[in-house]
Amino acid sequence: MPTLKTELNQIATDLNEIEAVINAGNAFQDAAQKLKGKGKALRTVENDTSISDDTVEVLANRTNDLIRNLVKASSSYNFTKKSFNELKGKLEEAQAQARRGAN
């Protein structure tokens, strides 16, 4: 059966592997900003194509759906990063305690 120290070391290894994902940054907010207002714009510009108004409406709705989902993902990313940092900090404290206890 694994020991607590072994499990802590495994969690530390796992966190190191996923740290790159956390440190990559929150690209969701940037993506949402790029699309902001595009759904509305699709509805208001002159339709100089043979694309039907129904298709334009679907495109506008899907664009707005994507923006909403990107904003939600951005918020989720922020909470994930906070949890990651808290876990990493507590793990480092526990590992330091384990080292002091081993000496």
Side-chain angles (χ1 to χ4, degrees), residues 1-13 91 94-103:
M1 178 149 95
T3 65
L4 178 57
K5 190 173 183 179
T6 303
E7 288 298 318
L8 291 176
N9 288 338
Q10 183 58 54
I11 292 171
T13 299
L91 180 62
Q95 287 178 310
Q97 288 175 8
R99 282 190 298 274
R100 283 193 300 272
N103 295 331

Side-chain angles (χ1 to χ4, degrees), residues 4-67:
L4 178 57
K5 190 173 183 179
T6 303
E7 288 298 318
L8 291 176
N9 288 338
Q10 183 58 54
I11 292 171
T13 299
D14 294 342
L15 286 179
N16 287 336
E17 290 177 7
I18 66 170
E19 190 165 19
V21 173
I22 298 298
N23 290 335
N26 188 350
F28 301 106
Q29 189 64 40
D30 295 338
Q33 287 293 45
K34 286 182 187 219
L35 291 173
K36 187 176 181 180
K38 300 291 186 187
K40 182 178 180 181
L42 287 174
R43 291 185 179 105
T44 59
V45 295
E46 178 185 351
N47 187 348
D48 60 349
T49 71
S50 60
I51 298 172
S52 74
D53 288 343
D54 288 344
T55 300
V56 171
E57 185 65 22
V58 169
L59 288 167
N61 289 339
R62 294 300 78 79
T63 301
N64 290 334
D65 289 347
L66 178 58
I67 293 167

